[in-house]
Amino acid sequence: AFFWLLSLLAASLLWFVSRALSGPGDAPLPLGAAAAVLLQELGRFACFKLLKKADEGLATLSEDGRSPISLRQMAYVSGLSFGVISGLFSIVNILADSAGPGTVGIHGDSPYYFITSAFLTMALVLLHTFWGVIFFDACERRRAGGLGLVVGGHLLASGLTLLNPRYEASLGPIFILTLCTGLWAFGSAGGSFRSVLECLSCK
Amino acid sequence: MITFMNNSDSEEEPCNERTSLMSAETPPVPSYQDGLQASEAGEAQAHRKRRAGSSRGPNNIAAGEMSGSGVPVRGSALENEEEELTLKYGAKHVIMLFVPVTLCMIVVVATIKSVRFYTEKNGQLIYTPFSEDTPSVGQRLLNSVLNTIIMISVIIVMTVFLVLLYKYRCYKFIHGWLILSSLMLLFLFTYIYLGEVLKTYNVAMDYPTLFIVIWNFGAVGMICIHWKGPLQLQQAYLIMISALMALVFIKYLPEWSAWVILGAISIYDLMAVLCPKGPLRMLVETAQERNEPIFPALIYSSAMMWTVGMAKPDTAARGPSQQTWDAAEDGREHLRSPSHAESQMSEARSPVPTRPITSLEELEEEERGVKLGLGDFIFYSVLVGKAAATASGDWNTTLACFVAILIGLCLTLLLLAVFKKALPALPISITFGLIFYFSTDNLVRPFMDTLASHQLYI
């Protein structure tokens, strides 16, 4: 969460500067958003490095040479925390406003603002978690493909939200993306169809 | 004792004991090696020898092992085990501290957001006499700096006074002082708080009920904090007191002064604890020499102490009895008073890890947790509460400050595990908190607002 916040800070700094530079005209929001995405991924990478070091430290300390927390768990936790803080930041002000008086969309915007925000946030939280797992796994095995796909996926998700008032165009693909990413993360974490079956049949 | 400039409700006593220390618990903190340095056997050897020299009362078995410190291999293996346990316990302690700090902050933020009283400006404390309603920025800045200087000097004077009292063994005086301040906190502030909360929610309550409620609350609190009580109840009371104090600060400190004071206090904390002539450090050392804990009640302690007698089977019936700190069997004098005092040190007692018990020695295991001064609670909550009260970005800023403070606390505890002596808990967290507050409020907020209005997610 801390790393996400740091990356957010850097991104907003960048945006602020670019807004000041581009004059009083319309601020380059997509550019800022893209920069934010890239910085988030950078933050995730920094998180990975730090956790890897901590993992090594724990491993050398423990008696049998393995650390008590596996890298997978750390990946899950870090992805989850990224997702949680990102989701919180996205939604908490909206929630606070939704508790107050007012009408949604009175100025001609969509009246479904709140509920689509809720769904989008949920998708984003899940996506961050999956991305965390995939990212750490890819870094661990040094596969650039995984890294590229995570970054690409993130950019894609952000870009889709750009289309936002046309909710069919953005919500649908984002959910499909979430599902696919989830399956991929599951696969890279070592699960398979059989393990799901085993889990369900409570062996 | 204090009168305010306007006739707002009288507030707490002069920030008595801004600082109160946490003693190093009787045995000097065992110097467990942690981290990767331990891999060098030579250093492990040296440390083992050094440890053998220090008096570690409770750890008889370890002492027994230390006598055979001529075996480096065994030494390093055991050392590793200790370190791992230390780290594991360390992580647990971090969590044990996260919960109360989070709770305190939640209470403060919830109150600030809902009860209007604490965000209205109704006068200032007598410690911050300069008003901030001046027209020019420079004047306002100057006033806030002056306020800070006055406040910090009051704190320094009080701390030195407390150290002197402690040095000359005027325990009764300190005891009385702490009792008085806790009385005031528990009764008066609770009354005000309850009154305001009831006003906000428009709940009618008659005076007799109010009297009974507050009387019970206060009396139980006094007993719990000054004497014995279940650990969790005591922790709950300490959290509530910290929250009340923090609310008072948030209400009565003018804006810029509050931020400057926060910064100045963390610097002061750093110096007071680490400099050799710092009052807090002297207090700790005095307490260590006299082998007694310092005002255990001004400190939030997260752990329990249990003693397990292993020598005879019937004493096993005594079992692990969870006692509060005060019920220490060595009859230490306990000055449990709630804090008014901002103890600004945190200290870890590395817990003695469980050894496989092969000998039938009487074993005393003390699982001690980390102790955090109540002043730290108060100032963390002040930061987060001020963020909630005055930030226009509302929840984002509050969240950011919250995460920053927790991460700072984590780092401080990590340093504590590395250095193994009393450390100031304020500087790192407050620095992070301040950085994040100002940056989130000014930089992140416009960004997120624009993103949200376009419903763009990053």
Side-chain angles (χ1 to χ4, degrees):
Chain A
F2 188 58
F3 281 100
W4 189 86
L5 277 176
L6 277 177
S7 73
L8 183 63
L9 184 60
S12 40
L13 191 61
L14 203 68
W15 182 73
F16 199 71
V17 167
S18 74
R19 184 173 78 162
L21 284 181
S22 73
D26 198 14
L29 198 57
L31 181 64
V37 166
L38 289 172
L39 282 166
Q40 272 183 39
E41 296 303 322
L42 216 64
R44 210 196 292 272
F45 187 65
C47 201
F48 169 75
K49 279 268 171 239
L50 186 69
L51 283 178
K52 191 109 199 326
K53 267 215 185 124
D55 190 38
E56 281 164 17
L58 280 176
T60 53
L61 285 183
S62 78
E63 355 186 78
D64 49 0
R66 290 184 310 115
S67 76
I69 315 175
S70 79
L71 201 60
R72 295 261 169 77
Q73 285 174 319
M74 282 203 268
Y76 173 66
V77 168
S78 97
L80 188 63
S81 73
F82 260 59
V84 163
I85 190 88
S86 148
L88 269 177
F89 259 61
S90 312
I91 202 146
V92 83
N93 275 333
I94 299 181
L95 278 177
D97 284 337
S98 74
T103 314
V104 188
I106 198 170
H107 286 288
D109 299 314
S110 154
Y112 301 119
Y113 183 74
F114 282 155
I115 197 154
T116 49
S117 300
F119 276 117
L120 274 176
T121 311
M122 178 184 85
L124 206 67
V125 170
L126 286 173
L127 273 175
H128 268 291
T129 317
F130 299 145
W131 283 331
V133 172
I134 301 176
F135 190 88
F136 275 46
D137 195 46
C139 279
E140 185 73 17
R141 300 192 206 163
R142 306 198 168 279
R143 288 210 305 229
L147 279 181
L149 274 169
V150 168
V151 178
H154 200 167
L155 281 170
L156 184 64
S158 257
L160 282 174
T161 55
L162 264 176
L163 307 171
N164 238 341
R166 294 202 293 276
Y167 288 131
E168 337 57 61
S170 65
L171 267 184
I174 285 192
F175 270 98
I176 296 179
L177 183 66
T178 312
L179 260 168
C180 297
T181 325
L183 286 173
W184 183 12
F186 186 64
S188 79
S192 69
F193 194 52
R194 267 206 12 204
S195 59
V196 171
L197 281 182
E198 276 177 26
C199 167
L200 284 176
S201 63
C202 300
K203 269 201 223 137
Chain B
M1 288 163 68
I2 328 174
T3 50
F4 290 155
M5 300 178 70
N6 309 352
N7 66 338
S8 37
D9 342 302
S10 67
E11 298 285 30
E12 91 273 7
E13 310 183 329
C15 330
N16 332 332
E17 306 123 10
R18 281 299 142 136
T19 49
S20 146
L21 303 184
M22 291 218 269
S23 69
E25 191 48 40
T26 39
V29 180
S31 53
Y32 283 128
Q33 231 358 311
D34 98 334
L36 305 165
Q37 321 148 347
S39 38
E40 298 135 79
E43 193 167 334
Q45 190 72 352
H47 269 275
R48 289 242 141 205
K49 287 211 171 77
R50 198 163 11 120
R51 246 190 292 167
S54 70
S55 61
R56 296 206 306 165
N59 203 352
N60 300 335
I61 287 196
E65 285 163 351
M66 276 188 287
S67 56
S69 61
V71 186
V73 173
R74 182 161 155 258
S76 64
L78 280 164
E79 186 120 331
N80 278 342
E81 192 181 307
E82 287 167 16
E83 282 147 22
E84 177 190 334
L85 285 164
T86 310
L87 270 190
K88 274 197 196 148
Y89 282 124
K92 197 163 70 155
H93 293 155
V94 169
I95 304 294
M96 284 204 282
L97 275 188
F98 269 13
V99 174
V101 172
T102 312
L103 273 178
C104 195
M105 288 197 233
I106 287 179
V107 169
V108 170
V109 170
T111 311
I112 294 262
K113 287 284 182 196
S114 52
V115 179
R116 285 282 131 231
F117 173 72
Y118 286 104
T119 38
E120 296 161 5
K121 298 251 356 127
N122 247 346
Q124 298 182 199
L125 291 177
I126 203 172
Y127 304 120
T128 53
F130 294 96
S131 144
E132 282 195 3
D133 280 333
T134 55
S136 74
V137 172
Q139 180 76 3
R140 188 172 186 183
L141 196 60
L142 181 69
N143 278 353
S144 55
V145 170
L146 287 174
N147 278 342
T148 310
I149 293 179
I150 294 180
M151 184 77 127
I152 298 279
S153 41
V154 166
I155 291 177
I156 294 183
V157 162
M158 288 293 175
T159 312
V160 170
F161 186 48
L162 180 72
V163 174
L164 285 177
L165 282 180
Y166 191 71
K167 248 183 154 49
Y168 295 118
R169 299 178 186 268
C170 311
Y171 291 141
K172 290 242 184 313
F173 189 82
I174 299 181
H175 202 76
W177 189 7
L178 290 176
I179 286 194
L180 205 61
S181 63
S182 65
L183 257 175
M184 170 104 64
L185 256 182
L186 275 176
F187 286 103
L188 186 64
F189 287 166
T190 314
Y191 171 66
I192 296 170
Y193 179 74
L194 212 53
E196 290 306 321
V197 169
L198 290 175
K199 260 191 243 176
T200 309
Y201 290 109
N202 215 7
V203 174
M205 183 173 271
D206 51 321
Y207 275 118
T209 314
L210 191 68
F211 175 70
I212 292 178
V213 166
I214 291 191
W215 170 251
N216 280 335
F217 180 80
V220 175
M222 289 295 284
I223 293 179
C224 234
I225 295 170
H226 289 261
W227 195 44
K228 295 193 232 240
L231 183 70
Q232 291 192 325
L233 196 59
Q234 188 195 11
Q235 292 175 336
Y237 267 105
L238 289 176
I239 293 178
M240 279 191 270
I241 290 183
S242 312
L244 283 175
M245 267 300 282
L247 283 170
V248 163
F249 275 133
I250 294 174
K251 179 173 169 64
Y252 285 110
L253 283 180
E255 303 230 351
W256 290 19
S257 304
W259 298 113
V260 182
I261 284 181
L262 273 175
I265 263 221
S266 42
I267 299 179
Y268 164 70
D269 195 24
L270 196 64
M271 291 198 317
V273 172
L274 294 180
C275 291
K277 274 300 173 186
L280 297 183
R281 186 168 168 147
M282 288 200 318
L283 198 52
V284 172
E285 285 166 2
T286 319
Q288 258 179 327
E289 286 164 27
R290 295 185 195 167
N291 240 6
E292 53 189 37
I294 301 182
F295 311 136
L298 295 165
I299 297 163
Y300 179 92
S301 65
S302 55
M304 336 148 226
M305 199 158 76
W306 25 307
T307 50
V308 178
M310 287 296 290
K312 308 149 239 170
D314 53 338
T315 55
R318 209 170 53 164
S321 53
Q322 292 183 2
Q323 306 164 352
T324 60
W325 273 110
D326 266 345
E329 292 116 35
D330 39 2
R332 289 178 234 143
E333 171 179 10
H334 28 267
L335 307 164
R336 283 194 162 243
S337 330
S339 128
H340 220 101
E342 295 137 17
S343 341
Q344 286 152 3
M345 290 186 4
S346 59
E347 186 180 283
R349 317 264 166 103
S350 306
V352 173
T354 321
R355 299 306 176 97
I357 296 166
T358 48
S359 57
L360 285 179
E361 299 170 309
E362 179 112 21
L363 226 211
E364 263 198 13
E365 290 174 20
E366 296 177 347
E367 167 133 8
R368 294 199 176 119
V370 189
K371 289 183 157 188
L372 188 61
L374 283 189
D376 300 326
F377 275 89
I378 294 179
F379 281 114
Y380 293 160
S381 309
V382 167
L383 196 141
V384 177
K386 267 282 187 219
T390 63
S392 32
D394 272 349
W395 292 93
N396 280 348
T397 322
T398 315
L399 270 179
C401 288
F402 172 69
V403 173
I405 289 184
L406 283 186
I407 296 284
L409 192 61
C410 250
L411 273 176
T412 311
L413 286 174
L414 199 68
L415 284 180
L416 194 57
V418 169
F419 284 123
K420 301 236 190 301
K421 48 179 208 158
L423 284 183
L426 279 184
I428 302 182
S429 288
I430 300 261
T431 318
F432 279 172
L434 285 176
I435 294 178
F436 269 85
Y437 171 74
F438 285 114
S439 57
T440 313
D441 199 26
N442 297 323
L443 293 176
V444 176
R445 191 178 41 88
F447 190 37
M448 293 302 292
D449 282 344
T450 330
L451 281 182
S453 65
H454 292 272
Q455 218 175 8
L456 181 63
Y457 283 83
I458 53 165

